[in-house]
Amino acid sequence: MSAAAPKIRVRSLAKSFGEKRVLDGVDLDVPAGTSLVVIGGSGSGKSVLIKCILGLIEPDAGTIEIDGENVLALGQEARRAIAARIGMLFQNSALFDSLPVWENVTFGLLARRRIRRAEARVKAGEILGQVGLAASAGELFPAELSGGMQKRVALARAIAATPEMLFFDEPTTGLDPIMGAVIDGLIQDCVKRLGSTAVAITHDMASARRIGDNAAMLYGGRIVWEGPAASLLESGNALVDQFTHGRREGPIRMELRA
Amino acid sequence: MNLLLGALAAFGRPVLILCRGTGRLALFAFEGLSHLVRPPFHVRRFAAALIEMAYFSLPVVALTAIFTGMVLALQSYTGFSRFAAQSAVASVVVLSMTRELGPVLAGLMVAGRVGAATAAEIGTMRVTDQIDALSTLSTDPMKYLVAPRLLAGIIALPLLVVVADILGVLGGFIVSTASLGFNAVTYLHNTFNYLETMDVVSGLVKAAVFGFLIALMGCYNGNASRGGAQGVGAATTAAVVSASILILAFDYVLTQLFFAR
């Protein structure tokens, strides 16, 4: 592995569902310790891209390298070892509704036998504190929490094992602007504190500029623009401009039929 | 020629779909079973599934069994009295309950209760990304969700069938002695005189197979759920219907294996 190799490198990634080609040769580099935000319209394949990197969907072609190693060529055990270095915050939080919050937060640690069950409640309280929740919230069930609190718990679960890589799937979707900003702030804090490499996908331009060092736009199954997240609104790219400013007229044609 | 090809295609398409579905189900079952012998084991999940399947199904299975035993005594008395063979009522009740009605009715009741709940729970987890979340947390969904339920099904149903057998016989005994004029001692004597170990064992083996099928169809259909609430609803229906049909089909196969001479 060369010293300059990015933490995550995606090359020529392709994935189709039936006739629909969702990813059509995606190339992407995420340097270690940086945050990349991937933007793109609904159905553009952002979630599929992130799920391919996480190993939840098997791509049809291409390579996904983590620390210079092609994960698609690895066996199940090696893939599991890589998955243990990743934290993920799902769009709808995906908390286990049959388990209390403390067990949700420490689920990964318990599964990897990194803590004993007797210590898990205390550990969960510490991690919940890092996302601005009281330890007593650990005794509640996910259904008893508001949307914002669920996102915080999901973030706590994602960072519990101090992962090297963090993935966020639309972290502010369904939240009011203030709660969205709070979640973005927590994400920034967590990523900085852990020194993790982060990839987030979002529609929310304010969120994209807050949490991303760099940004990339996915359109037509490919990355059509990459640059600093701060320059998203002045990218000079017609596709990005139309998307970030929410214009109806422009080169992007929205598919109205599946 | 085109007509012939069209007819062949119309016949072949559902056959291919059936083969594909059967293959998927077989692979799913094999993978689920393989996790029963490969650590780590989720003992808490197994205990929770066992309590849900066995303990919480007790009332419905018990009521079904006791009323079935009562009806069986009444019906067989009505029929046998035409041939002056009323003394066979006790043996008919006990053999019917242990060989057939105990395992089949308990299986159908549990399929309706637990099979549906399993499909709904796993289906909801599937459509809300909870199963993907398990994978990202170093937990194999087959090991965590499916294997404990399969084992719980294999153990819970025989336990329920033991209770169903006893209560079914008790139902027949109550009706026979209270309203049909049977002597209690003679009835019990006739009950145990004609009962063989194989009658009970065959029922328990059937129950273990039915328990496995109920858990398997609940997990498989739940895991295959797609597209939100409607998909979960369809999976729940499919789990109950497929488990019920498989119970009846396997009942025939197992009866043939045990008792055909």
Side-chain angles (χ1 to χ4, degrees), chain B residues 22-258:
Chain B
T22 309
R24 279 198 193 122
L25 177 62
L27 287 174
F28 187 87
F30 179 76
E31 194 186 345
L33 286 172
S34 74
H35 284 288
L36 292 178
V37 292
R38 285 188 289 154
F41 305 111
H42 292 282
V43 180
R44 282 171 181 277
R45 299 292 299 176
F46 164 69
L50 188 64
I51 290 168
E52 176 61 37
M53 218 165 179
Y55 182 72
F56 290 114
S57 298
L58 260 178
V60 69
V61 169
L63 286 171
T64 306
I66 201 158
F67 286 121
T68 303
M70 292 164 90
V71 169
L72 203 53
L74 275 178
Q75 287 285 21
S76 49
Y77 180 82
T78 313
F80 290 153
S81 62
R82 293 175 192 166
F83 313 103
Q86 297 92 322
S87 61
V89 168
S91 53
V92 166
V93 169
V94 72
L95 292 183
S96 303
M97 285 307 302
T98 52
R99 284 183 177 198
E100 285 300 324
L101 295 175
V104 170
L105 291 179
L108 293 175
M109 287 295 145
V110 175
R113 212 188 75 78
V114 179
T118 302
E121 184 182 342
I122 294 180
T124 305
M125 290 185 75
R126 168 60 69 198
V127 301
T128 57
D129 288 335
Q130 291 180 51
I131 291 183
D132 283 345
L134 279 176
S135 300
T136 65
L137 293 164
S138 304
T139 301
D140 188 326
M142 289 297 286
K143 191 178 282 296
Y144 184 77
L145 294 174
V146 178
R149 286 181 162 93
L150 293 181
L151 185 60
I154 293 168
I155 294 172
L157 248 284
L159 295 175
L160 287 169
V161 166
V162 169
V163 176
D165 287 351
I166 294 167
L167 291 178
V169 171
L170 177 68
F173 174 81
I174 291 168
V175 167
S176 300
T177 54
S179 67
L180 300 178
F182 279 81
N183 173 275
V185 176
T186 312
Y187 187 92
L188 287 176
H189 181 262
N190 283 345
T191 295
F192 294 113
N193 213 20
Y194 291 100
L195 184 65
E196 292 178 8
T197 309
M198 188 59 180
D199 299 322
V200 178
V201 170
S202 68
L204 297 181
V205 172
K206 281 181 179 181
V209 173
F210 298 165
F212 171 73
L213 291 172
I214 292 164
L216 176 66
M217 298 319 291
C219 294
Y220 177 75
N221 285 292
N223 190 53
S225 291
R226 295 289 182 275
Q230 193 180 17
V232 175
T236 307
T237 307
V240 176
V241 171
S242 57
S244 302
I245 291 170
L246 283 173
I247 284 171
L248 297 172
F250 272 78
D251 184 43
Y252 169 74
V253 173
L254 292 170
T255 304
Q256 183 80 20
L257 275 175
F258 281 123

Side-chain angles (χ1 to χ4, degrees), chain A residues 234-253:
Chain A
E234 307 90 27
S235 67
N237 179 296
L239 291 162
V240 179
D241 282 350
Q242 185 191 349
F243 185 79
T244 53
H245 293 94
R247 296 191 194 110
R248 288 174 64 190
E249 301 303 320
I252 299 174
R253 293 276 172 261

